[in-house]
Amino acid sequence: MSGSNMVLSTGANAPFGKEDTVRVTITWRHAPAELDVSCFMVGADGKVSSDDYFIFYNQPADPHGHVRLQRPNDKTTEFTIALKELERTGVDKCVFAATLDGPGTFADVVGCSLTAQGKQSHITYSITEATSETSLVLAEVYRHTSGFKLRAVGRGFNGGLKPLAEAHGVTVEEGEPSAAPPYTVQSNISDTRPNTVNSKAEEEASFPGSGKINLLKQNVQISLKKKQIDREKARVAVVFDASGSMSKLYSKGTVQKAFERVLAVAACMDDDGEMDVWFFANKAKRAPSVTERDYENYVKRNLPEIGYGNIGFGNNEPEVMTDIILKYTKEVPNETIPTYIIFFSDGGVYETKKISKLLIKCSGTPIFWQFVGLGNADYGVLQKLDDLRGRVVDNADFFALDDIDSVTDAELYDRLLNEFPGWLKQVRAKGILRS
């Protein structure tokens, strides 16, 4: 898929292809205070190697000139990135962030957007979901096996520069005399270090708790090999029912555990090791995409508020399904990599006609729906998917669990992957998925 003329939503990504150089431009129409835009050139551990790789208004380039900052006017900041030269360094990604240097929050910032422009690529991302943050990670240019990509992040920090900088290895020294350097840096990589994969011990030290996901991944791999799809790649997404009846499962941590178990599937299968996430009740909410490096307390951090004026209390599967189909068929279509949706619901499914129509409509696309019931509720049409006529291929499966916490990882992964392999063969045979 080409990165030409792409419009990204939060969590989405797009490739740069064979671009040698790209220009990343951040613009805004109004801000309540001075908006300082910066770039952290970080290694595989997410930290800068020294203060030379923190690019901001007082330090507009790194020592090698791979990233250069310019400010054409007071509402625009531009970065020129030499991707070809960056490939030969130990820099894993360039993280672009903005901080309000004064009163107000990003809810008060109007018309903020990011554009990445190359000879063949034109990618845009509008920042529309910020609220009380005073610092915001806008996007990141990161390494991928196919070349550099741009990911729309939109993740905030409530505390200004300090938590933002420290998250990327820069410690802000508060209360120092004005003549003193404002930053100290935790040095972790060298710019000329080869692009190597961390050992398991290094990975777990850099990302505490990732050992849990590593153990889950072992069980996923066993299931994938049994199903003879251990070499398959797929875009993986998870959908969580967030209606009022799910509150107990959220409060006792059941949803977070289910999230972690599904994240292990994405870590094994997704081409980026990244999982897209939706929550829904009466309304649908896209949450930030996530990898195994940022999974702890994810549900608590990103669960939208239920109730009137928020996402509601009830069940509206068609709305979230429509948004999922929009993303994977219009916003970021891909005819060579399948999309695998794991959809959790505690029942109360009543929109039979709308759900049926959506499944029929997208049956000619490379999207597979794995519905999982939590408890003994009324699942309506989900229990009759095998009888749903009019589809190009059977593109959905359903099973219910009385208690997901009591199901072993091996059993869960075997059931999640039960019909997916057969669907892969069908969509390839019909040319829906191109190998």
Side-chain angles (χ1 to χ4, degrees), residues 304-323:
E305 292 186 20
I306 65 171
Y308 300 113
N310 297 302
I311 65 168
F313 295 98
N315 296 76
N316 188 358
E317 293 84 6
E319 178 160 324
V320 70
M321 291 174 68
T322 299
D323 193 46

Side-chain angles (χ1 to χ4, degrees), residues 58-100:
N58 272 344
Q59 185 166 266
D62 67 278
H64 306 282
H66 296 150
V67 176
R68 295 182 180 275
L69 178 152
Q70 290 182 308
R71 293 201 64 177
N73 57 62
D74 62 355
K75 292 183 174 61
T76 304
T77 302
E78 292 181 352
F79 296 90
T80 302
I81 310 166
L83 295 180
K84 190 172 184 180
E85 284 76 12
L86 208 61
E87 285 181 355
R88 296 190 288 268
T89 73
V91 176
D92 190 62
K93 65 177 70 171
C94 295
V95 181
F96 299 95
T99 300
L100 281 167

Side-chain angles (χ1 to χ4, degrees), residues 54-266:
F54 174 37
I55 312 304
F56 64 113
Y57 61 93
N58 272 344
Q59 185 166 266
D62 67 278
H64 306 282
H66 296 150
V67 176
R68 295 182 180 275
L69 178 152
Q70 290 182 308
R71 293 201 64 177
N73 57 62
D74 62 355
K75 292 183 174 61
T76 304
T77 302
E78 292 181 352
F79 296 90
T80 302
I81 310 166
L83 295 180
K84 190 172 184 180
E85 284 76 12
L86 208 61
E87 285 181 355
R88 296 190 288 268
T89 73
V91 176
D92 190 62
K93 65 177 70 171
C94 295
V95 181
F96 299 95
T99 300
L100 281 167
D101 187 16
T105 70
F106 270 88
D108 306 311
V109 176
V110 179
C112 186
S113 65
L114 180 146
T115 302
Q117 177 78 54
K119 289 184 177 179
Q120 300 178 358
S121 303
H122 188 274
I123 308 168
T124 58
Y125 169 48
S126 296
I127 294 84
T128 60
E129 300 174 13
T131 55
S132 61
E133 302 93 341
T134 52
S135 290
L136 202 69
V137 174
L138 306 171
E140 57 189 26
V141 172
Y142 66 101
R143 288 181 186 270
H144 185 262
T145 54
S146 61
F148 281 98
K149 287 187 172 185
L150 177 79
R151 179 184 290 116
V153 180
R155 181 163 59 94
F157 291 80
N158 294 318
L161 177 64
K162 181 176 174 63
L164 171 68
E166 290 181 347
H168 297 94
V170 180
T171 301
V172 177
E173 300 290 353
E174 297 181 324
E176 292 290 325
S178 58
Y183 309 108
T184 60
V185 180
Q186 301 165 358
S187 180
N188 294 288
I189 61 170
S190 65
D191 184 59
T192 56
R193 186 186 66 182
N195 184 26
T196 58
V197 178
N198 285 353
S199 69
K200 180 178 179 181
E202 290 172 327
E203 180 184 4
E204 293 184 8
S206 297
F207 308 103
S210 64
K212 182 191 297 185
I213 305 300
N214 285 334
L215 291 173
L216 292 170
K217 285 160 62 176
Q218 293 175 22
N219 283 303
V220 175
Q221 289 290 359
I222 291 171
S223 290
L224 290 171
K225 288 180 180 179
K226 283 197 293 186
K227 305 291 184 180
Q228 298 182 341
I229 56 171
D230 51 305
R231 294 179 181 272
E232 291 284 350
K233 290 297 178 184
R235 300 191 293 187
V236 179
V238 66
V239 185
F240 286 110
D241 184 340
S243 58
S245 57
M246 285 281 294
S247 59
K248 287 185 179 179
L249 294 180
Y250 280 96
S251 62
K252 71 177 187 177
T254 296
V255 176
Q256 173 68 26
K257 291 176 187 175
F259 160 81
E260 293 169 3
R261 295 166 90 175
V262 175
L263 180 59
V265 177

Side-chain angles (χ1 to χ4, degrees), residues 318 321-322 325 351-364 369 381 385 388-391 395:
M321 291 174 68
T322 299
I325 294 168
E351 293 279 14
T352 295
K353 290 184 179 180
K354 291 182 179 179
I355 293 171
S356 300
K357 186 176 180 179
L358 287 167
L359 288 174
I360 293 168
K361 178 182 177 182
C362 74
S363 64
W369 304 80
V381 67
L385 291 174
L388 183 59
R389 300 182 181 278
R391 290 178 290 174
N395 60 342

Side-chain angles (χ1 to χ4, degrees), residues 380-425:
V381 67
L382 301 184
Q383 294 175 297
K384 303 174 183 178
L385 291 174
D386 290 339
D387 300 326
L388 183 59
R389 300 182 181 278
R391 290 178 290 174
V392 180
V393 296
D394 182 349
N395 60 342
D397 184 33
F398 171 79
F399 64 88
L401 300 169
D402 292 339
D403 180 7
I404 190 172
D405 287 337
S406 67
V407 177
T408 66
D409 295 329
E411 180 184 353
L412 178 64
Y413 294 135
D414 281 350
R415 298 190 73 175
L416 286 175
L417 298 167
N418 182 42
E419 290 195 12
F420 184 61
W423 172 81
L424 284 171
K425 292 179 181 179

